[in-house]
Amino acid sequence: MKLPQRERRHERVTKKVQGTSTKPRLVVFRSKKHIYAQLIKDDDGKVISGCSTLSKEFKAKNMKSTNKEAAKEIGKLIAAKAISLGIKEACFDRAGYKYHGRVQALSEGAREGGLKF
């Protein structure tokens, strides 16, 4: 079965970017309405932490979920969660998306929140 082009790009990038317990992989997924971010430890294949425009912390801010400002806020929230867990560095995995628009805004928000890529 032929995978969509974004998924093929994601597989190719995931082979190169590995997350460890000290430097996990920050993965982005975006849909038409929402954006999601997860910190993944590839040693065990486990999700350390996650955040999205559907989470309670974001909904409390009463923001629209489909724009760059929302993506930047999600980046700041995931950075705050990572820092509270003692994580200061992460590998950024754009999941086959272009580094543009909402994906770029999320990474900039994470950098502003204190994460290093």
Side-chain angles (χ1 to χ4, degrees), residues 21-76:
S21 56
T22 56
K23 189 175 178 180
R25 183 166 52 107
L26 175 62
V27 184
V28 176
F29 176 76
R30 72 180 169 91
S31 66
K32 297 267 186 196
K33 288 187 175 183
H34 300 287
I35 192 157
Y36 307 81
Q38 291 181 330
L39 289 169
I40 296 178
K41 183 168 59 168
D42 286 321
D43 299 338
D44 308 335
K46 298 206 174 176
V47 176
I48 299 170
S49 181
C51 188
S52 75
T53 50
L54 295 169
S55 60
K56 290 179 184 176
E57 302 96 359
F58 181 79
K59 288 205 174 195
K61 297 181 186 278
N62 285 333
M63 293 176 70
K64 189 175 176 183
S65 65
T66 57
N67 55 17
K68 289 182 193 177
E69 289 80 23
K72 196 168 200 171
E73 192 61 38
I74 292 300
K76 288 178 184 177

Side-chain angles (χ1 to χ4, degrees), residues 5-22:
Q5 194 169 8
R6 184 198 69 82
E7 291 179 17
R8 283 185 282 165
R9 280 193 307 265
H10 188 202
E11 284 180 0
R12 191 170 58 237
V13 170
T14 306
K15 288 178 190 174
K16 298 174 188 174
V17 178
Q18 290 293 313
T20 62
S21 56
T22 56

